[in-house]
Amino acid sequence: MGHHVLLALSLLAFPVGAQSPLPGTAPLTEQGDLAARMVEGIKEYLLRETASARQNRERFWKRDFSSAAAHEKSIEPNRSSLARIIGAVDRRVQPVTMGPDATTSTPAVVGRGKGYQVLAVRWPVFEGVFAEGLLLKPQRPPVCRVVALPDADWSPEALAGLAPGVDPTSQFARRLAESGCQVIVPVLIDRKDTWSGIPQFRMTNLPHREWLYRMAYQVGRHVIGYEVQKVRAAVDWFASENANRAAPIGVAGYGEGGLIAFYSAALDTRIQGALISGYFQPREELWTEPIYRDVWSLVREFGDAEIAGMIAPRALVVEASRVPDVKGPAPVTKERSGACPNGALTTPAVESVRAEVERARPVFTKLRAAPKLQLVESEGGRGVPGSAGALSAFLSGLGTAAQLATSATPPQTVRTVDETTRLRRQFDQLVDHTQRLIRESPASREEFWKKADPSSPGKWRETTQWYRNYIWDEVIGRLPSPNAPANPRTRLIYDTPKFRGYEVMLDTWAGVFAYGILLVPKDVRPGERRPVVVCQHGLEGRPSDVADPNVDNPYYHRYAARLADEGFITYAPQNPYIGRDLFRLIQRQGHPLKLALFSFILGQHQRTLEWLSDLPFADAKRIGFYGLSYGGKTAVRVPPFLDGYALSICSADFNEWVWKNTSIDARYSYLLTVEYDMIEFDFANTVNYSDLANLMAPRPFMVERGHFDGVAPDEWVAYEYSKVQRFYVTKMNLPGATAIEFFNGPHTINGKGTFEFLRRHLAWPQLGR
């Protein structure tokens, strides 16, 4: 008699006692909150991966030090990668003209200093977007041309000495102009929350940078990339000026401006020198910084030393100084909330800055440019930015013999700039540009999918394998397949007249496990294999919410237990979206490593499917998935990629997902809520929910939708599902393999049309029973 038959017989005859394990498994002895332990295990895994990121980066670099030109060519893939992940990809306007920001009643000149004048200017960047700021124009031919970038909460006027807020020593735009430099000072988007919200519905406490980051991330853009492009557009203008009179081009920045200057210099080889203050340090703790610095896969490929090496052999001056005082977003109030609460800026120990500079030094040395990398410490790394030593080293690195001016005299103000109105223009232009990209994203997706062949189910499966791999790798983030022995452990927790229930724990990776509740009908016959329904809870849920026969949760209505009563085997997994910001930190930790919450969920479901398929009473070819809310998100992000699922049902979540994350005119928008965990990099240009659902084909797919569900309006759901319906009917010729059920109810399991869908497509009950 075979092992599986013996195991099935032992299940039927098994003497039930307190916490008895499922035959063929070890006893589950772990106690406490297993969901919390799961989340903590994932966070520890990510901390280990973060700690090892530096040593693992080398595989992304193929540097050729045989010459400066060979080196530039060898790092071009890395330069392209950096541009892509920071969203610096939009085509810039050419040629760039530097125009006065003036009218007949408001002249362009706003100030005059010793040997220079200050003009309010604007210059085009890409369609519909202009940069704005100040041009400090020397009276004599410039010794060099510099883009000087203030911190996000400093105005250009403050950096130029025309407005209060910046210590005179740190007014490096003014000091460079006094030293004979032509200086452009762009406006950066600040950290206030004034315009973050949808006034007719609610306002939020999202910093302006976070508001832009959230919507831009979905279309493969970033507030960082937008501002890098503004700098590069200024460099375009400098380069055109150099056609008449050559002068070296440099960038200098502090805080957020230091970040933008650093990335600009790494991407643009026309920039001959960079001064980075209050930013350079080991970057492995990126996940602890404000969320608007979150960059998909950054730490996996780049640390600050690696980016510094992209500037070599050009000049780089790192100034260790105190960083801007940023403790987080504005406090939550009754009127405003929703910002990511985690993320602060902390001045690093000067020893860590030194260590990161030394990591970069070998690249400069091998390119015979060791003197071009300099570290200047402002008062032991905690002084103000713009020290005389840093500015002098910057000017020297640009190859100019100009001496740094020592005057502390501010320029004379000619007229006051309306900083608020100007910043609002800058903010609105970037919002409008991003929203235009969102409107254009369906065309981008159509172009992306053009190589998928829907001429037959077979061709569809064959030609979409590349897409499955791409989406898993580039949008979701792929972990290695579970590599720890499963070591299944179980214990009996329910014993009803019709089924027994077991808690189950399966190991996946070191320190990470899968956990859930298995319900096994008592009338399984020896040798019989039953269909399985994986029943997935939603946000902050637990397996017991869906599987406990004694609790009628208003969202789930015991649906796993009800299906078990019908004779299905059911399994309710614990997904790790529990613990509020504790689980959302998984996204913060994962994104810089090119990982996310669903990277782990996919692996946990891989292991779960392996174990379920091996149960002697389960039919591996008839395992369906049915999830509500965040479980509905799982329904379109897990079964399409795991062939072990025979069908998928998405309940209380299916909608136009791009709109859901980016809308600035709908009350359903995630921009208004704390769900910063929802965004996925470049999702909109790659997939939407209909595309993910279509990847199930020819396997069945269904949507369950309550008319009063507040996730999205019926119209969004119907619009997005209509594309699925059309695909299954007109392309796959499988009209019966997809369905949608609207019901008169809220965000809940309805369990009518969906149960019938399960019975039909999982062939249960079978004839002859």
Side-chain angles (χ1 to χ4, degrees), residues 161-181:
L162 286 168
V166 175
D167 185 282
T169 301
S170 299
Q171 294 168 1
F172 55 86
R174 172 185 63 80
R175 299 183 69 193
L176 289 169
E178 289 174 347
S179 304
C181 302

Side-chain angles (χ1 to χ4, degrees), residues 499 519 533-538 542-549 551-553 555-566 568-573 577 624-632 635 649-651 704 748-752 754-755 758:
F499 62 80
L519 304 184
V533 182
V534 174
C535 301
Q536 189 64 68
H537 65 77
R542 296 177 183 270
S544 57
D545 293 336
V546 308
D548 190 332
V551 176
D552 186 9
N553 183 291
Y555 299 111
Y556 306 107
H557 300 301
R558 297 190 300 259
Y559 79 106
R562 288 161 54 202
L563 287 166
D565 281 339
E566 289 196 15
F568 288 97
I569 299 164
T570 65
Y571 184 75
Y577 36 73
F625 184 95
Y626 184 3
L628 175 99
S629 193
Y630 227 125
I649 300 175
C650 177
S651 178
E704 182 177 51
T748 185
I749 291 288
N750 190 45
K752 293 183 174 60
T754 51
F755 277 33
L758 291 167

Side-chain angles (χ1 to χ4, degrees), residues 698 700-701 721 724-740 757 760-761:
F701 177 80
Y721 177 74
V724 181
Q725 175 78 17
R726 183 172 65 245
F727 179 81
Y728 269 79
V729 173
T730 67
K731 301 296 186 182
M732 295 290 99
N733 195 27
L734 294 169
T738 189
I740 187 168
F757 195 79
R760 182 167 73 254
H761 290 289

Side-chain angles (χ1 to χ4, degrees), residues 87 92 229 250 253-254 553 616 696:
R92 298 192 303 279
Q229 291 289 68
Y254 168 66
N553 183 291
M696 281 298 297

Side-chain angles (χ1 to χ4, degrees), residues 431-663:
V431 169
D432 291 346
H433 177 73
T434 306
Q435 292 294 315
R436 180 174 64 81
L437 294 173
I438 290 162
R439 291 191 299 272
E440 293 173 354
S441 65
S444 299
R445 292 195 296 274
E446 184 176 357
E447 176 68 17
F448 175 76
W449 286 91
K450 68 180 182 181
K451 292 183 180 179
D453 182 356
S455 60
S456 70
K459 275 291 186 184
W460 177 250
R461 291 288 298 170
E462 176 187 342
T463 59
T464 56
Q465 189 55 52
W466 180 89
Y467 291 90
R468 287 182 177 82
N469 290 335
Y470 182 91
I471 295 163
W472 194 342
D473 291 339
E474 302 298 330
V475 179
I476 295 172
R478 190 193 295 260
L479 281 165
S481 293
N483 51 25
N487 186 24
R489 290 94 74 200
T490 66
R491 62 177 163 232
L492 182 73
I493 56 170
Y494 307 133
D495 189 5
T496 75
K498 290 190 175 182
F499 62 80
R500 294 189 181 101
Y502 299 86
E503 283 186 292
V504 178
M505 183 178 283
L506 307 167
D507 293 330
T508 53
W509 305 278
V512 181
F513 59 87
Y515 161 74
I517 295 175
L518 178 74
L519 304 184
V520 184
K522 290 181 175 179
D523 63 347
V524 179
R525 298 183 300 209
E528 181 184 11
R529 289 181 177 271
R530 293 276 182 95
V532 182
V533 182
V534 174
C535 301
Q536 189 64 68
H537 65 77
L539 180 66
E540 301 295 338
R542 296 177 183 270
S544 57
D545 293 336
V546 308
D548 190 332
N550 302 310
V551 176
D552 186 9
N553 183 291
Y555 299 111
Y556 306 107
H557 300 301
R558 297 190 300 259
Y559 79 106
R562 288 161 54 202
L563 287 166
D565 281 339
E566 289 196 15
F568 288 97
I569 299 164
T570 65
Y571 184 75
Q574 176 70 62
N575 271 2
Y577 36 73
I578 188 169
R580 299 184 184 276
D581 278 310
L582 291 177
F583 91 77
R584 291 190 172 99
L585 282 176
I586 293 172
Q587 300 289 66
R588 296 296 320 274
Q589 290 178 266
H591 278 191
L593 299 169
K594 203 176 183 182
L595 296 172
L597 190 67
F598 275 98
S599 307
F600 290 91
I601 292 172
L602 270 158
Q604 289 171 320
H605 279 258
Q606 281 180 282
R607 178 48 47 88
T608 298
L609 282 170
E610 292 167 5
W611 183 72
L612 289 173
S613 298
D614 202 42
L615 291 175
F617 43 83
D619 187 343
K621 295 181 179 179
R622 291 189 291 163
I623 302 177
F625 184 95
Y626 184 3
L628 175 99
S629 193
Y630 227 125
K633 294 176 191 14
T634 309
V636 295
R637 288 172 177 81
V638 172
F641 302 96
L642 300 182
D643 289 339
Y645 280 116
L647 64 77
S648 183
I649 300 175
C650 177
S651 178
D653 184 69
F654 195 91
N655 68 95
E656 216 288 1
W657 188 246
V658 175
W659 296 349
K660 175 69 176 172
N661 278 279
T662 61
S663 175

Side-chain angles (χ1 to χ4, degrees), residues 115-116 137-143 180-182 245:
Y116 66 96
K137 184 178 179 181
Q139 293 171 350
R140 296 181 177 180
V143 297
C181 302
Q182 182 184 53
R245 187 179 186 93

Side-chain angles (χ1 to χ4, degrees), residues 81-88 221-222 224-226 228 263 267 295:
S81 175
L82 180 62
R84 186 183 71 82
I85 63 178
I86 66 170
R221 305 303 198 277
H222 203 295
I224 292 172
Y226 286 155
V228 164
Y263 288 177
L267 293 182
V295 175

